[in-house]
Amino acid sequence: MTTNNFEIKPLSSQDRNKLRKQYLFAVLFLGVASAIFSFIYFFVIKPDNFSGIPLVMFSIFLVFFAGIFSYLFWSTYIDLKRGIKHCYTGIITDKRVDKHTTKSRSYNTRMGTNTRHKSSRTYYYISIDNNEHSVPYSEYAKVNVNDKVYLESSPKNKEVLAFTILEKNQNLITITAKTSYSSPFKSKSITKPMRQSEIDLVKEIFFKKVRRALIYIAIYSILLFTLWQGIFIFLIPVIIAFIYTSIKLLILINKYAKFNRNGNLKQITTVQVIDKLTTTSNTSSTKFRVTTNVESINVSEKIYKKLKANAIIELHKATFLKYLVGVSVDEGTQYLENL
């Protein structure tokens, strides 16, 4: 059976064995969670000596983890009962990394404990013909945008059953509307005077870096003044950080002076887009990164959506400072005010 986006096939015996391993994972998860909650209940909370609030919180967490176990078990059961898998064939149009951070804090007990815990998990996604799929890192790392792939996954818990690269992106360079050939792209650079809007953007980036460096220098100075009469070994890393930050600031000011003395020039480098990546997180803003044959750059969402793999673009950078101030695409130069 075939739908608009994927083909439906019956599960093979190998697919069923792979799904049944999810049962083992669910049982192991239940065993570990039970051991942790038993230890907390009998040795930390000690219900006979506590009020009802910690017990309520404990029960909420217990129900939450029981729900996770139930979902893992139930979703695997449904996939095995249906006996089908979804098979996707298409071009990778985007890649995404999602970093999810959780923080927790334990309550004060009679033993005086008050601990904080921070954990982070990373999830990897690829978009096949603009349809996003979760994949293991081992598969994610193999592919770039514009690769043609084949993916099999279970309908309910989205377990990846098979993943194959059918065709790697060959970095085709179009010569005419009908002719193309595969050849390593050679970058080239030219130097031109900057526009006033670009000069203003360079100033904004420069003064932002100067303010940040001065804040760190002020903090290190306060620490040096405070710790000067203390143990000298604690002063060594502060002294090193103070000297390092000060030298970096002097170098930055010198480069900015050279940039002004030489007529506010910019270097325009022609490069080819190799790959694209979106990074999402529950603790920071979304970032858009483009990999070229020369370097990787962070761009705005507007520019990110315009760029495609194999596209030929121009990077506009301030001389000496190397600040990226613009990217030339089909419609002209797009400036990076967000930086």
Side-chain angles (χ1 to χ4, degrees):
M1 183 184 300
T2 303
T3 69
N4 294 331
N5 299 320
F6 56 87
E7 184 179 0
I8 297 177
K9 294 182 180 180
L11 292 174
S12 64
S13 57
Q14 185 178 2
D15 295 333
R16 290 184 175 276
N17 289 335
K18 191 170 185 178
L19 286 174
R20 289 191 184 102
K21 291 181 180 179
Q22 296 297 313
Y23 283 141
L24 177 60
F25 174 77
V27 172
L28 289 175
F29 177 83
L30 178 63
V32 172
S34 299
I36 293 173
F37 279 106
S38 296
F39 175 81
I40 294 173
Y41 185 81
F42 290 106
F43 296 99
V44 178
I45 293 181
K46 297 180 180 180
D48 293 338
N49 301 323
F50 252 91
S51 64
I53 295 179
L55 292 177
V56 172
M57 297 299 298
F58 177 82
S59 301
I60 291 174
F61 279 109
L62 184 62
V63 171
F64 173 75
F65 279 94
I68 294 177
F69 167 78
S70 300
Y71 177 79
L72 290 173
F73 195 91
W74 174 74
S75 60
T76 302
Y77 170 77
I78 293 298
D79 283 332
L80 288 171
K81 183 178 180 180
R82 291 177 177 175
I84 61 173
K85 59 185 176 181
H86 292 172
C87 307
Y88 302 84
T89 303
I91 302 296
I92 295 180
T93 54
D94 202 358
K95 299 168 65 178
R96 182 168 71 93
V97 174
D98 181 60
K99 298 180 180 180
H100 192 83
T101 302
T102 57
K103 298 179 181 179
S104 61
R105 179 188 295 176
S106 66
Y107 285 92
N108 289 321
T109 66
R110 298 201 173 193
M111 299 172 62
T113 60
N114 182 15
T115 59
R116 294 180 179 180
H117 178 69
K118 180 179 180 180
S119 62
S120 179
R121 295 194 63 182
T122 304
Y123 303 90
Y124 301 92
Y125 300 89
I126 60 172
S127 294
I128 302 177
D129 293 335
N130 297 319
N131 293 315
E132 193 172 70
H133 305 271
S134 176
V135 294
Y137 174 77
S138 58
E139 310 296 353
Y140 171 90
K142 295 177 183 177
V143 296
N144 293 331
V145 172
N146 260 28
D147 289 350
K148 186 176 183 179
V149 298
Y150 173 74
L151 171 71
E152 294 181 354
S153 66
S154 55
K156 193 65 183 176
N157 66 1
K158 305 301 179 182
E159 175 72 14
V160 175
L161 303 174
F163 186 83
T164 305
I165 302 174
L166 301 178
E167 183 179 340
K168 287 292 291 183
N169 175 26
Q170 296 300 318
N171 299 330
L172 293 177
I173 304 174
T174 301
I175 303 302
T176 67
K178 297 182 179 180
T179 306
S180 62
Y181 71 96
S182 180
S183 174
F185 180 79
K186 295 182 179 179
S187 298
K188 59 182 180 180
S189 299
I190 60 173
T191 303
K192 288 185 177 181
M194 277 191 170
R195 301 174 182 177
Q196 187 59 47
S197 59
E198 294 172 318
I199 296 174
D200 292 339
L201 182 55
V202 170
K203 288 182 179 179
E204 181 183 344
I205 299 172
F206 169 74
F207 285 112
K208 185 182 295 184
K209 289 181 177 291
V210 169
R211 285 195 299 270
R212 186 181 303 161
L214 290 175
I215 290 172
Y216 281 115
I217 289 174
I219 294 173
Y220 296 144
S221 300
I222 294 172
L223 289 174
L224 286 173
F225 180 78
T226 305
L227 300 174
W228 192 253
Q229 302 299 325
I231 303 175
F232 184 72
I233 192 172
F234 293 117
L235 283 173
I236 294 177
V238 180
I239 293 173
I240 293 173
F242 177 84
I243 295 174
Y244 175 76
T245 306
S246 300
I247 293 174
K248 281 188 63 177
L249 178 59
L250 292 175
I251 293 173
L252 176 63
I253 294 173
N254 182 52
K255 288 181 177 180
Y256 185 70
K258 288 182 178 180
F259 167 74
N260 286 325
R261 284 198 305 267
N262 285 270
N264 303 126
L265 299 177
K266 65 178 178 180
Q267 186 178 41
I268 304 176
T269 306
T270 304
V271 299
Q272 185 179 30
V273 176
I274 303 300
D275 202 7
K276 298 168 61 180
L277 169 64
T278 303
T279 303
T280 56
S281 174
N282 63 325
T283 58
S284 60
S285 59
T286 301
K287 296 179 180 179
F288 302 93
R289 193 164 184 82
V290 175
T291 301
T292 72
N293 63 311
V294 174
E295 61 180 322
S296 294
I297 56 173
N298 291 321
V299 298
S300 63
E301 182 178 4
K302 180 181 178 181
I303 296 175
Y304 184 86
K305 290 181 177 179
K306 288 179 179 292
L307 300 182
K308 296 181 180 179
N310 298 336
I312 307 301
I313 63 175
E314 294 178 338
L315 305 181
H316 298 243
K317 286 188 174 182
T319 54
F320 300 104
L321 291 165
K322 304 299 182 183
Y323 294 161
L324 181 66
V325 297
V327 177
S328 291
V329 293
D330 293 339
E331 289 77 7
T333 304
Q334 304 288 326
Y335 293 99
L336 306 181
E337 292 86 353
N338 60 316
L339 294 181

